[in-house]
Amino acid sequence: MKRRLGRGMLAALLVLGVLWAALTVSAPREAAAVALRQATALRIDVGPEPGGEAVTLDADLYLPNGRGQAPAVVLAHGFGGSKSDSRRDASRLAALGYVVLAYTSRGFATSGGRVHLIDPTYEVADASRVLDTLARQPRVLLDGRNDPRVALVGTSYGGALALMGAAADPRVDSVVATATWNDLASAFFPSFTATSSGAVLGPYKQLWGANFLLGSMGTASPGAAGCGRFDNTTCRLFVAAAESGVASPELRKVLHRNSPRPTLRQIKAPVYLIQGMGDTLFGIDQSEATADALRAAGTPVAVRWINGGHDTAPSKTGPSAAERTQVEQSVDRWLAGTLRGAGRSSALPQGIPTFAYAVAPRRGQSVAPTYDESREDSRRDMTLPLTGREGTIVNPPGGVPAAITTIPGGDALAGLAPTYSLAALPGQHLAFDTSPTTQSITIAGSPSVRVAVTSTGREVTLFASLWQVQGNSARLLRPLVAPVRVAATPGQESVVTVDLPPASYQLAKGTTLRILLSATDSGFRGSNQTRVDTIHLAQPDITLPVTDGTALTTPALLDREARWIGGLALLALLAVAGWAFVARRVRSRRETDESANDPDEMIRVDGLRKTYGDGHHAVDGVTWSARRGQVVGLLGPNGAGKTTTLRMAVGLIHPDAGETRILGRRVQPGDPVLSHVGALIEGPGFVPHLTGRANLHAYWAATGRPSSEAGFDEALDVAALGGALDRPVKSYSHGMKQRLGIAQAMLGRPELLILDEPTNGLDPPQIAALRPILQRYAATGRTVVVSSHLLAEVEQTCSHVVVMHAGKVLVAGAVSDLGVAGDRHLEEVFLETIAGAAGLTSRPDEDPEARGERLRQVRAR
């Protein structure tokens, strides 16, 4: 049967290959591999450092094919990068016929000087020296003496440099700025209120600030104040803000000066702004502020919102490969339209809309659609009623524990993905829900809500996020949070308009939205002062900026040329899948029928074997079983293989041989049968700043099962933590964490309960209290498996025992069958069994004292 099924799976894979080929014919592909070109290295002398130190920039020049003159493109890298980051794009653009100059900014890699954070006197002035260098290249097309036809293109740090360089140097003919800032002060100290416009600074974005500073401190040298190649004055101001959470007037001045915002009116070249909607560093609000200023100045500007951002990976919430290709192609169209004409034009290049936005791809889509929303009549405001009573939230002493809504670099930390229970901490949040939508809608912009706040403090900081409610659960629509800072008079009501994070959101008919307001957020340095805020809706609805864009791309998987191939492949796939499904059902039914002969057998471990790389046999052919109503003790000295066996039994690690069956089903990692198992193996793991109660609720919410099935009251009785349940887990002793871990394993009253050293850290009264709990639990027809070295406790608790030594099972059976009777205790039986396995057999003439000493040599530790 296995051989036939294997052939079926091979056939399915072949069909999948044909189907994949059909899909990739029509779906937009990742840009083809670029042949990297040989570049000419350049050294560009620029202005000196404040102390007179000479500075030279490291650059590479890429030439197009042929001998004629061509427009030029300057590529600027992101913070901490170098010219090498631009190599692929430089090669691609050179192949398209441009002269490309990629350079390493001042203070990075092999360029000289220090990092001044896009200071007009240094980095911006350097960009003009780079243009001077281009103007001297014989292959560069000139519009006049020392005036190259040139575009500045950059991402993040390089994007700000491109904007500020175009403002400072009128020779720039085109700008492409991706994922960059408008104003560094509002980026690192944001406040999302309708009236702030960056004038009111919010809380410090501490997690991104830490990443930013650490990225510049890695090359610290004596006397550099720990700032590496970062300009010492700017670095010290940032460090002070990180330590206090407040931007000093000096830092504000630096951040405003080193930003595009004050220079945007000087830009005459057309600007293409590309910004990610999952960017928690420089969000959509930054590009919108830049676009508004450029439009007000009469500068041609196009805006494109894409999925992803600084802290998202392409394979997850970032742009798909197809979307990245589309963006790359749009940049190519932009450069062709702005550099290859007769001269600078006020019209946008053909095929580039004034505003375009992507939406998050749905299941089954190879690429998320992108929409053109250039028509004025495509936008309108819609209001939805909100429900939710007045409530009180508390900013805890010291600002901890803090809610977790977003995590910079979250896609790289997939296991730490925030959930609603982590974002909505007890006592720290308030939620308002909309009525269900009556039609499908697309939001593009910032939803807003008006709330009234009465606080005990003189300053209120709230964190707003947008969720979609589905049954008993809620999911964050985009990984974004909007901090709001409001000046307050204690005891007096303040009304504020809260702007939710701007992005595009597609909502199906019947969608319910939730606006979550929290007193804390781990991504920001909030107030350390204890504060109580009473909040209610000042206006009982939410305003949604709804749009009806025209699709620029479609999510269709197959085009006309490939439909017949895909159709045939799909039919073949369905046929093979149907055959495999039937075969699997037949096998599953046979396996179930076999296991039905013994319906009371809860778990069977059969021939498990695990060998590590050094040749050590941690588990060597272990076999045992446990039935309903039994409390089975897994005994053995340290290194016997008990924990490794349990880890294999529940699918945490793969055995080299053997299998485990639970309820007659063979266990595989993630198998649905594991939902019948509660386990505590190798100690409990909790979110330290959450309370014990909140940890249990968060764990259960992650299962997706209704809270009514959890049995929280019984679990809390087992934990017996009293008032400590509402204290952060980080304040717990080891024994308290152990009791909470046992309670967590018992949530949902699983049919099989597996506890690895459950009494570790418990005091004698707590051990005594646990014993009847486990016995009563098994008496209900469930099964308990306990690994332990406390033999007296096992003897009083367990009905059955499995003795392990050196990765093998020496003996297994009921406690009474092992010779435990009268004055002969389990410890003696256990030690004799282990001694026999170690070759320390009894001698007839051995006196009892010598025998006891010999047995103590193998006592479990």
Side-chain angles (χ1 to χ4, degrees):
M1 181 66 182
K2 288 184 178 179
R3 181 175 300 172
R4 290 198 299 272
L5 188 58
R7 290 174 178 171
M9 292 304 296
L10 178 59
L13 288 174
L14 290 173
V15 174
L16 281 172
V18 174
L19 181 58
W20 175 252
L23 299 184
T24 54
V25 167
S26 58
R29 299 180 181 179
E30 179 77 79
V34 174
L36 298 180
R37 290 175 170 247
Q38 189 69 33
T40 301
L42 301 177
R43 301 295 293 182
I44 303 174
D45 293 329
V46 293
E49 285 293 305
E53 172 193 353
V55 177
T56 301
L57 304 183
D58 184 21
D60 281 338
L61 184 69
Y62 297 78
L63 298 178
N65 296 330
R67 296 185 179 183
Q69 291 183 325
V73 178
V74 173
L75 298 180
H77 59 78
F79 190 83
S82 72
K83 66 177 185 179
S84 298
D85 300 340
S86 305
R87 190 179 181 193
R88 179 188 177 279
D89 285 334
S91 296
R92 180 178 59 82
L93 291 171
L96 292 175
Y98 298 99
V99 176
V100 183
L101 191 150
Y103 76 100
T104 300
S105 186
R106 177 187 293 250
F108 295 108
T110 56
S111 287
R114 292 185 175 274
V115 178
H116 297 269
L117 208 61
I118 318 295
D119 190 306
T121 307
Y122 300 102
E123 287 88 351
V124 178
D126 293 348
S128 288
R129 302 291 78 76
V130 170
L131 297 188
D132 292 341
T133 300
L134 269 178
R136 294 192 293 269
Q137 302 301 317
R139 294 292 306 278
V140 172
L141 177 66
L142 298 179
D143 289 326
R145 187 182 179 198
N146 197 36
D147 182 5
R149 179 79 61 84
V150 63
L152 296 186
V153 178
T155 298
S156 189
Y157 189 79
L161 182 60
L163 288 168
M164 297 175 70
D169 197 320
R171 294 177 294 177
V172 176
D173 299 284
S174 178
V175 177
V176 180
T178 302
T180 194
W181 66 86
N182 168 265
D183 180 70
L184 272 181
S186 64
F188 276 102
F189 299 86
S191 182
F192 282 71
T193 61
T195 58
S196 67
S197 300
V200 177
L201 296 188
Y204 177 55
K205 198 177 286 182
Q206 62 181 359
L207 292 187
W208 267 120
N211 291 344
F212 180 69
L213 286 172
L214 289 172
S216 65
M217 292 180 172
T219 57
S221 58
C227 291
R229 293 181 67 183
F230 211 134
D231 171 67
N232 288 341
T233 300
T234 304
C235 175
R236 285 195 296 268
L237 291 173
F238 249 111
V239 170
E243 293 173 349
S244 67
V246 177
S248 66
E250 294 81 4
L251 179 60
R252 293 187 188 201
K253 182 178 178 180
V254 169
L255 296 181
H256 285 308
R257 182 191 67 208
N258 294 14
S259 295
R261 181 177 178 179
T263 70
L264 293 173
R265 287 187 174 275
Q266 281 72 55
I267 298 178
K268 303 305 178 185
V271 176
Y272 192 15
L273 297 173
I274 303 170
Q275 205 80 357
M277 291 181 283
D279 200 323
T280 60
L281 178 56
F282 304 132
I284 292 297
D285 59 295
Q286 294 292 311
S287 68
E288 285 298 278
T290 297
D292 289 344
L294 291 172
R295 293 187 189 107
T299 302
V301 58
V303 176
R304 183 167 184 148
W305 294 357
I306 63 174
N307 291 302
H310 274 84
D311 46 354
T312 52
S315 61
K316 302 207 180 204
T317 53
S320 65
E323 186 178 350
R324 293 196 304 277
T325 299
Q326 291 169 1
V327 173
E328 188 176 272
Q329 292 170 349
S330 75
V331 171
D332 293 345
R333 285 195 296 272
W334 175 271
L335 294 176
T338 55
L339 295 181
R340 295 194 181 278
R344 186 176 296 170
S345 171
S346 60
L348 295 180
Q350 185 175 4
I352 304 293
T354 304
F355 172 57
Y357 62 91
V359 296
R362 296 177 180 175
R363 181 176 299 177
Q365 291 181 349
S366 63
V367 57
T370 299
Y371 293 88
D372 176 359
E373 200 220 50
S374 300
R375 301 189 335 269
E376 289 294 329
D377 61 352
S378 62
R379 284 196 181 194
R380 67 186 189 281
D381 284 343
M382 171 186 288
T383 59
L384 287 179
L386 286 172
T387 59
R389 297 181 179 179
E390 178 180 288
T392 298
I393 63 176
V394 177
N395 190 76
V400 293
I404 302 176
T405 308
T406 61
I407 303 175
D411 276 346
L413 304 171
L416 300 179
T419 63
Y420 185 75
S421 57
L422 298 180
L425 298 185
Q428 293 189 33
H429 77 280
L430 201 61
F432 301 100
D433 289 357
T434 69
S435 58
T437 57
T438 58
Q439 59 183 335
S440 299
I441 60 174
T442 299
I443 300 170
S446 297
S448 62
V449 59
R450 287 178 62 80
V451 297
V453 184
T454 304
S455 179
T456 60
R458 294 188 177 277
E459 187 176 77
V460 176
T461 301
L462 300 174
F463 300 91
S465 52
L466 190 63
W467 300 72
Q468 179 178 343
V469 180
Q470 296 174 309
N472 294 325
S473 63
R475 69 176 182 89
L476 193 61
L477 283 174
R478 294 237 182 220
L480 303 168
V481 62
V484 175
R485 178 164 283 174
V486 184
T489 300
Q492 294 187 14
E493 183 176 274
S494 300
V495 177
V496 61
T497 298
V498 178
D499 289 335
L500 278 297
S504 69
Y505 307 93
Q506 276 194 329
L507 308 179
K509 180 180 179 181
T511 298
T512 296
L513 295 177
R514 173 169 295 171
I515 294 86
L516 180 67
L517 298 177
S518 176
T520 60
D521 191 274
S522 62
F524 296 83
R525 176 75 175 271
S527 172
N528 292 330
Q529 302 298 315
T530 304
R531 189 186 74 242
V532 178
D533 303 327
T534 301
I535 303 174
H536 68 86
L537 292 170
Q539 189 171 317
D541 51 43
I542 182 174
T543 302
L544 306 174
V546 175
T547 182
D548 298 312
T550 303
L552 293 174
T553 61
T554 68
L557 293 178
L558 302 176
D559 63 13
R560 292 187 181 91
E561 290 78 13
R563 282 177 183 167
W564 69 272
I565 301 176
L568 292 175
L570 185 58
L571 288 174
L573 175 63
L574 291 174
V576 174
W579 177 86
F581 175 78
V582 171
R584 184 173 181 178
R585 288 292 299 271
V586 169
R587 185 180 68 168
S588 177
R589 184 177 296 114
R590 186 168 63 195
E591 291 174 349
T592 303
D593 290 342
E594 292 172 355
S595 65
N597 295 331
D598 194 358
D600 289 337
E601 186 176 76
M602 182 64 67
I603 178 172
R604 169 168 289 279
V605 171
D606 191 5
L608 286 185
R609 181 173 286 106
K610 186 67 177 179
T611 304
Y612 290 110
D614 59 0
H616 171 62
H617 298 292
V619 174
D620 190 7
V622 166
T623 298
W624 53 268
S625 65
R627 300 168 63 81
R628 293 184 183 275
Q630 294 180 349
V631 181
V632 178
L634 195 59
L635 302 179
N638 289 347
K642 304 187 299 298
T643 298
T644 302
T645 298
L646 294 181
R647 293 178 69 197
M648 288 189 288
V650 296
L652 291 176
I653 58 176
H654 287 280
D656 296 329
E659 66 177 17
T660 300
R661 290 183 179 270
I662 295 176
L663 293 172
R665 287 181 58 88
R666 184 176 182 179
V667 174
Q668 300 288 344
D671 195 289
V673 76
L674 293 173
S675 63
H676 299 275
V677 180
L680 173 63
I681 299 177
E682 291 189 306
F686 300 110
V687 180
H689 69 263
L690 293 186
T691 65
R693 191 188 307 274
N695 265 287
L696 292 183
H697 282 272
Y699 169 82
W700 187 254
T703 69
R705 295 166 61 185
S707 57
S708 58
E709 297 180 6
F712 285 116
D713 291 340
E714 292 180 57
L716 296 178
D717 288 342
V718 171
L721 291 171
L725 270 172
D726 296 308
R727 283 173 24 209
V729 168
K730 64 183 178 182
S731 67
Y732 284 14
S733 67
H734 179 70
M736 294 167 71
K737 292 178 182 177
Q738 191 74 359
R739 283 146 57 197
L740 188 65
I742 296 170
Q744 179 175 281
M746 296 179 73
L747 285 176
R749 295 181 62 80
E751 293 184 73
L752 175 60
L753 182 64
I754 298 177
L755 304 176
D756 184 21
E757 299 283 0
T759 58
N760 187 18
L762 304 188
D763 56 32
Q766 293 165 351
I767 295 174
L770 179 62
R771 188 187 311 142
I773 290 174
L774 299 182
Q775 291 171 335
R776 288 195 302 268
Y777 192 84
T780 63
R782 293 171 169 80
T783 302
V784 178
V785 176
V786 178
S787 76
S788 180
H789 63 275
L790 298 178
L791 303 180
E793 285 306 317
V794 170
E795 183 175 352
Q796 296 179 69
T797 305
C798 297
S799 60
H800 291 70
V801 178
V802 177
V803 179
M804 291 186 63
H805 178 66
K808 297 179 179 292
V809 172
L810 302 184
V811 66
V815 172
S816 58
D817 293 340
L818 298 182
V820 179
D823 60 352
R824 182 174 165 83
H825 295 286
L826 180 60
E827 180 175 19
E828 185 176 353
V829 174
F830 173 80
L831 291 177
E832 285 189 348
T833 303
I834 298 296
L840 300 174
T841 55
S842 299
R843 296 189 293 271
D845 58 343
E846 186 175 32
D847 63 72
E849 185 174 347
R851 179 170 173 273
E853 178 61 30
R854 177 172 53 80
L855 291 179
R856 278 192 289 274
Q857 298 176 42
V858 293
R859 184 181 298 273
R861 298 180 294 279

